[in-house]
Amino acid sequence: MVKSSKAKLYFTPKTKVHFMGIGGSGMSAVAMLANAAGYEVDGCDQSPATPYMKELAQINIKTGHSKDHVKGKILVISPAISFIKPTPDEVRAAKKVITWQELLGKEIVQDKSVIAVAGTHGKSTTTAMLALIFEQAKLDPGVMIGAKVPQWNSNFRVGQGKNFIVEADEFNDNFLNYSPEIAIINNIEFDHPDYFKDEPQLINSFKNFISRLKGRKILIFNSDSKILSDLVKAADKDITRISYSLIDESADVYGKIVKKSLAETRFSVVSKKLNVNFTFTLKLAGDYNVSNALGAIAAAVSCSIDKSTINASLSSFYGIGRRMELLGKPAGVFVYDDYAHHPTAIRETLKALRQRHHKSRVTAVIEPHSFSRTKALLNQYKGVFENADRVIVAPIFKARDSANFGISSNSIVKVVTHGNIHAAKTLHDATEMALKGVKKGDVIIVMGAGQSNVIATDLVKALSLKIYKNYSLKKLNTFRVDVKAKQFVDVESELALKRLLSDKKVRAEKRLIIGAAANILFTKDFDGLVIKNSIKGISLISESKNYVTLEVGSGESWHELVMYSVKNGWAGIENLVYIPGLVGAAPVQNIAAYGQNFSDVFVSLDAIDTKTGKKKVFSKEDCMFGYRDSYFKSKAPGRFVVTKVRLKLAKTAHINTSYFETGKTFAKNVSLEQELALIAKPPYTIHDVAMAVMSIRKKKLPEVSDVGTVGSFFKNPVITKEKYLALKEADPDLQSYPVEDLRYTKKVNGEMVKIPAARLLDTLGWKGKKIGKVGTHPTQALAVVNYGAKPKDILKFTRQMQKAVLDKFGIELEPEVVII
């Protein structure tokens, strides 16, 4: 385990700190708080797309890990990093390593009056309730919570008031980094068996937490929790104790539920000690939420906040992120996402769900959290699912465990006496099982603290499919051709696509799959179903010393992927920058530029067969890559929809010093070398290369507003070297043509060369030529531009271009675009 300082840190202004795993809920919040406090903050994360990344836009973040990240900086980690074996390079390279809880508790909030909320269950909700009450009272608190608060669209708050309200977690004794004036403890139940060896050790940690109270020393605790109640009795006498209860009328704060409805819960609070006799309203279901509110009310009254202000805040509180959060009602199905992963939390959440949906069919999808926790709490799953009609147990999330202890999701199925419970082999399987037989009015709740939110969001995407009729495609194709589709649907996930294609009516329909439609010319309205591919996501699925492997959703922008890779120092596609279209089109076209080919970095891809609706994995060999060609383009056009692509990129910030000498990339591309020389000095970085390529592309084809184009309309023709030499001898204009020696050794005609189609067209005066409302770009003869023409006029124009080249040179230009 990584050892870190337990003393006050007293950082100086502008201290440089690097957050490893910055995309996590706690890490992201503290990174932003540190940034607001004046520290120089940057970070890294394995995943570029966590739910908290948008808030970190102002912070420089790398994907993946490197010891270079921590040079001259203090490394901030999550306690979970301490359990990784072998120790990560960044941790070994750092001169000083601290947890984010240390940074927050011993540095950022050291001059604040801290209110810490602890306990096994309900910490996040109670912290949010109290923080919003303080905000309502205009006390401007600073806040740190392990979940998003909708009112802030964030899990933290930078406040200028004297109070800082923090969710204090017991794992790894994290809460011992705080010295609060007020502590709220909701309950104590054995958890985190990967850290606490037994219940006595857990209780001792809470005892130490209570001993850290300072100043006013107010302890607010739930006396309904027997372990907690017994512990408080032994606490120091100088601590002010305030008990709250939903059961014991003699408690200092007694709450009684007055009325439950689908929309809200009303409860009365009586406290002689705090002079409270008031009825409050919560827009939440569940007795446990009333209990959470009692702790928040007691703390707020102790800070002299009046009851009406407290009630105004609570009655407008609709919960926090991933706590019985309604993600949507697609197709009339209620889909909830919840963080519950302890058996007690799962049981109480399902009970609360029944308050809202007492007549609906409820499907519970759970992702057990860690093998050690599942083993330790296995018997507690008995009776947990009584309020669910159907239960699906997803694979156990590994978390910090290094072994499975002979436990699996089937272990839960075996111990639970439920008539309809099943184990799923993968998250994808769990999602498909949840969708099976679902109908309007049903409820699906997904619970877990690992990757279960992926299931929940995929369910919403799969159920949200809506087919539109007579849909205009003008804004969905870069040619801006004004055509319509008989039917149109936007698909955001692989599962949604599979669900769509499982419909026999859809499979029988004439179909067209589009991404950005940056390489398509529609010649008329499409009499069938157009499916828009919007499947997104970028994941780092493996990393070695020299390489990374990315899995990318086919609906991602290709240009944005290149820039993202360049930013992270991953080489292999930097020359392919500024190519329009989506990632899913790259393997179909086998895009290439300046010596780099998409196929050079390709590993594999997933695709859905439009005839069967089944997924197939394609290897590099399966794809049959050729010049601007692939299996998907020439052998099975329209048959498969690419959903995910995997690429292997080199980890290097600089290009190979022999690039120019070997001719591998830049030989015969003198303009690129010249462009590089204008913007940088050797040794060139991959960022330099990307910027140079982008500059050249923009010079060749400056942006034209309010018109449509697909860029290059024709492929560069490939001809025999003999034919090229004959043409060159007959036509002086060909003397200076740059050519690329392809050396197709398997071709019957032997040595082949590729010549630029743009130069052929330039020779014939097609640059900037315009006929009616269609023409070529003023600086690029290969770029056909639509100035408001009809599809048939564009097609006629391009055929005239083909005829001119054929008549003059005997070369037949082949369209690079797909003509529909």
Side-chain angles (χ1 to χ4, degrees):
M1 183 180 294
V2 176
K3 292 183 178 180
S4 51
S5 170
K6 294 297 180 183
K8 283 190 175 181
L9 304 171
Y10 292 111
F11 289 5
T12 59
K14 296 295 181 182
T15 296
K16 294 181 179 181
V17 289
H18 176 79
F19 284 75
M20 180 181 177
I22 195 169
S25 61
M27 290 285 279
S28 61
V30 177
M32 290 301 292
L33 288 167
N35 189 61
Y39 302 115
E40 289 190 15
V41 177
D42 62 20
C44 65
D45 204 286
Q46 285 285 97
S47 172
T50 76
Y52 302 93
M53 280 298 186
K54 286 184 179 179
E55 297 169 8
L56 299 166
Q58 61 187 280
I59 293 175
N60 182 29
I61 300 172
K62 298 280 189 179
T63 300
H65 300 298
S66 170
K67 62 183 180 181
D68 295 335
H69 293 171
V70 296
K71 288 182 180 178
K73 304 168 188 173
I74 292 172
L75 177 62
V76 183
I77 63 170
S78 162
I81 299 297
S82 301
F83 293 80
I84 295 177
K85 303 299 179 185
T87 302
D89 289 345
E90 278 161 304
V91 176
R92 285 191 282 108
K95 289 185 177 180
K96 189 174 187 63
V97 182
I98 62 171
T99 65
W100 65 257
Q101 290 90 346
E102 286 182 272
L103 176 61
L104 179 63
K106 295 182 178 179
E107 193 61 30
I108 296 175
V109 304
Q110 62 175 317
D111 297 322
K112 297 281 188 177
S113 175
V114 175
I115 303 174
V117 182
T120 307
H121 311 295
K123 295 185 293 293
S124 298
T125 300
T126 305
T127 307
M129 285 177 173
L130 186 59
L132 290 168
I133 291 169
F134 269 61
E135 187 178 42
Q136 180 87 18
K138 303 188 184 309
L139 295 175
D140 196 15
V143 187
M144 160 65 207
I145 307 177
K148 280 194 175 184
V149 179
Q151 286 89 334
W152 311 329
N153 193 30
S154 175
N155 60 333
F156 71 95
R157 187 181 190 277
V158 178
Q160 301 304 315
K162 69 174 184 177
N163 300 107
F164 194 94
I165 304 169
V166 62
E167 177 182 340
D169 178 26
E170 73 271 22
F171 171 72
N172 200 50
D173 286 334
N174 293 325
F175 56 4
L176 300 186
N177 289 296
Y178 309 113
S179 297
E181 292 195 12
I182 299 174
I184 303 172
I185 305 180
N186 288 339
N187 41 63
I188 298 177
E189 193 170 358
F190 184 63
D191 199 1
H192 302 298
D194 51 346
Y195 179 73
F196 297 109
K197 64 180 181 180
D198 52 29
E199 193 174 272
Q201 184 187 354
L202 171 69
I203 294 171
N204 190 59
S205 285
F206 273 93
K207 179 181 178 182
N208 291 334
F209 171 65
I210 293 170
S211 71
R212 294 190 62 81
L213 281 164
K214 70 174 187 179
R216 296 176 66 190
K217 290 189 176 183
I218 297 175
L219 174 60
I220 299 167
F221 68 98
N222 180 6
S223 60
D224 295 339
S225 172
K226 187 177 185 309
I227 296 175
L228 174 57
S229 188
D230 290 343
L231 173 62
V232 171
K233 291 175 183 176
D236 292 343
K237 293 181 179 180
D238 63 341
I239 292 175
T240 299
R241 298 164 173 79
I242 301 174
S243 63
Y244 65 89
S245 172
L246 278 175
I247 300 172
D248 183 9
E249 294 185 29
S250 66
D252 296 321
V253 178
Y254 171 61
K256 182 179 180 181
I257 295 174
V258 177
K259 184 180 179 181
K260 293 181 182 180
S261 67
L262 299 180
E264 63 184 33
T265 304
R266 297 184 66 212
F267 61 100
S268 62
V269 175
V270 177
S271 174
K272 291 182 179 180
K273 190 168 188 173
L274 299 179
N275 190 28
V276 177
N277 190 340
F278 202 86
T279 298
F280 296 87
T281 301
L282 267 182
K283 293 292 193 299
L284 300 176
D287 294 2
Y288 63 93
N289 276 319
V290 176
S291 183
N292 293 333
L294 292 178
I297 291 167
V301 174
S302 297
C303 293
S304 303
I305 299 176
D306 65 88
K307 277 83 74 177
S308 59
T309 299
I310 297 171
N311 189 50
S313 180
L314 289 178
S315 61
S316 62
F317 179 65
Y318 287 87
I320 55 177
R322 303 211 62 219
R323 302 309 190 274
M324 216 167 89
E325 179 183 6
L326 180 62
L327 296 187
K329 297 184 286 184
V333 178
F334 295 81
V335 180
Y336 288 90
D337 185 26
D338 196 272
Y339 190 73
H341 50 282
H342 188 286
T344 299
I346 294 170
R347 182 186 66 241
E348 293 304 311
T349 300
L350 288 173
K351 283 171 64 177
L353 193 66
R354 274 298 175 201
Q355 181 179 330
R356 287 229 175 122
H357 301 278
H358 54 276
K359 292 183 179 180
S360 300
R361 186 175 74 141
V362 173
T363 295
V365 184
I366 68 160
E367 181 192 33
H369 198 78
S370 87
F371 295 100
S372 56
R373 175 191 265 116
T374 305
K375 182 179 180 180
L377 306 177
L378 187 59
N379 287 327
Q380 293 187 35
Y381 279 98
K382 295 176 181 178
V384 161
F385 303 111
E386 289 178 354
N387 283 291
D389 299 286
R390 186 170 57 139
V391 182
I392 298 164
V393 186
I396 296 172
F397 183 69
K398 182 182 177 182
R400 295 172 286 269
D401 288 330
S402 57
N404 63 21
F405 308 106
I407 295 293
S408 71
S409 52
N410 275 307
S411 303
I412 295 175
V413 173
K414 290 176 182 177
V415 80
V416 171
T417 54
H418 191 284
N420 193 355
I421 183 170
H422 306 278
K425 292 182 179 180
T426 65
L427 292 180
H428 185 82
D429 289 343
T431 313
E432 288 197 321
M433 290 166 70
L435 283 171
K436 192 173 183 180
V438 71
K439 58 186 179 181
K440 185 177 180 180
D442 282 359
V443 175
I444 304 176
I445 183 165
V446 184
M447 293 179 278
Q451 298 177 307
S452 59
N453 61 306
V454 174
I455 298 175
T457 54
D458 272 359
L459 283 169
V460 173
K461 290 175 182 178
L463 289 164
S464 296
L465 289 176
K466 184 177 180 180
I467 297 179
Y468 298 89
K469 293 183 179 180
N470 298 317
Y471 194 87
S472 174
L473 300 176
K474 185 174 182 178
K475 293 182 179 180
L476 294 177
N477 70 94
T478 60
F479 238 136
R480 296 295 180 259
V481 175
D482 191 10
V483 294
K484 290 183 179 180
K486 177 184 173 184
Q487 295 185 98
F488 173 83
V489 62
D490 195 355
V491 177
E492 296 184 345
S493 72
E494 184 179 270
L495 184 64
L497 182 61
K498 287 182 68 176
R499 183 176 172 83
L500 177 70
L501 294 175
S502 67
D503 189 326
K504 292 181 180 179
K505 291 182 180 179
V506 170
R507 288 212 303 270
E509 184 70 72
K510 182 181 178 182
R511 297 179 307 277
L512 174 67
I513 314 296
I514 64 170
N519 208 40
I520 292 177
L521 170 60
F522 289 94
T523 60
K524 61 181 180 179
D525 290 347
F526 188 75
D527 187 28
L529 173 65
V530 171
I531 301 173
K532 172 74 167 64
N533 176 9
S534 298
I535 302 170
K536 296 189 176 183
I538 303 175
S539 300
L540 178 61
I541 58 175
S542 69
E543 182 176 10
S544 65
K545 184 178 180 180
N546 298 317
Y547 294 95
V548 295
T549 301
L550 297 182
E551 184 175 81
V552 188
S554 55
E556 289 284 353
S557 160
W558 175 261
H559 172 71
E560 294 300 325
L561 171 65
V562 175
M563 292 306 297
Y564 174 78
S565 300
V566 168
K567 176 187 174 184
N568 282 287
W570 301 332
I573 55 176
E574 60 277 4
N575 298 7
L576 308 181
V577 72
Y578 212 60
I579 292 178
L582 305 184
V583 170
V588 177
Q589 293 290 115
N590 188 23
I591 58 174
Y594 297 99
Q596 281 184 348
N597 294 277
F598 170 84
S599 54
D600 294 339
V601 296
F602 176 80
V603 177
S604 64
L605 63 79
D606 296 344
I608 304 296
D609 188 332
T610 61
K611 288 187 177 181
T612 65
K614 293 182 179 179
K615 183 171 81 172
K616 181 178 179 180
V617 179
F618 285 81
S619 66
K620 190 170 186 175
E621 185 178 20
D622 295 332
C623 292
M624 300 172 61
F625 290 122
Y627 170 58
R628 295 289 193 275
D629 196 17
S630 69
Y631 170 81
F632 307 102
K633 185 174 182 181
S634 60
K635 302 295 183 183
R639 171 74 183 271
F640 292 92
V641 187
V642 178
T643 56
K644 293 178 182 177
V645 174
R646 286 168 285 278
L647 306 175
K648 186 177 182 180
L649 305 177
K651 293 169 72 173
T652 175
H654 291 82
I655 63 172
N656 190 311
T657 54
S658 62
Y659 257 28
F660 297 115
E661 289 79 1
T662 63
K664 177 182 177 183
T665 301
F666 294 117
K668 306 187 182 94
N669 287 315
V670 181
S671 61
L672 180 51
E673 188 173 0
Q674 291 173 339
E675 193 70 30
L676 270 168
L678 292 174
I679 65 174
K681 294 180 179 180
Y684 298 119
T685 67
I686 58 173
H687 180 267
D688 295 335
V689 174
M691 293 301 100
V693 171
M694 199 182 319
S695 176
I696 292 171
R697 288 189 185 280
K698 287 183 176 181
K699 287 176 182 178
K700 284 183 177 179
L701 188 61
E703 293 182 12
V704 181
S705 60
D706 302 322
V707 299
T709 182
V710 291
S712 299
F713 194 91
F714 297 106
K715 293 181 181 180
N716 288 325
V718 177
I719 61 176
T720 64
K721 192 167 187 178
E722 288 76 15
K723 184 172 182 178
Y724 165 70
L725 292 173
L727 286 169
K728 186 176 178 180
E729 186 176 347
D731 192 334
D733 286 332
L734 288 175
Q735 296 293 327
S736 62
Y737 272 32
V739 299
E740 184 174 342
D741 190 346
L742 299 180
R743 295 188 185 279
Y744 282 134
T745 56
K746 293 183 180 180
K747 292 280 186 180
V748 176
N749 293 329
E751 197 172 346
M752 309 289 287
V753 296
K754 182 173 67 177
I755 61 176
R759 294 290 292 273
L760 296 174
L761 290 163
D762 282 351
T763 302
L764 299 175
W766 281 89
K767 184 187 292 185
K769 190 170 185 177
K770 187 176 179 183
I771 301 176
K773 293 185 177 181
V774 62
T776 57
H777 198 278
T779 64
Q780 171 61 277
L782 200 56
V784 178
V785 180
N786 175 19
Y787 295 97
K790 294 180 179 180
K792 65 178 183 179
D793 295 328
I794 298 173
L795 193 60
K796 181 180 179 181
F797 182 85
T798 59
R799 284 174 176 168
Q800 288 177 322
M801 296 171 75
Q802 287 175 297
K803 186 176 185 302
V805 172
L806 183 63
D807 290 346
K808 173 68 175 177
F809 301 110
I811 296 174
E812 188 170 350
L813 292 182
E814 184 182 346
E816 187 174 322
V817 304
V818 178
I819 298 173
I820 306 297

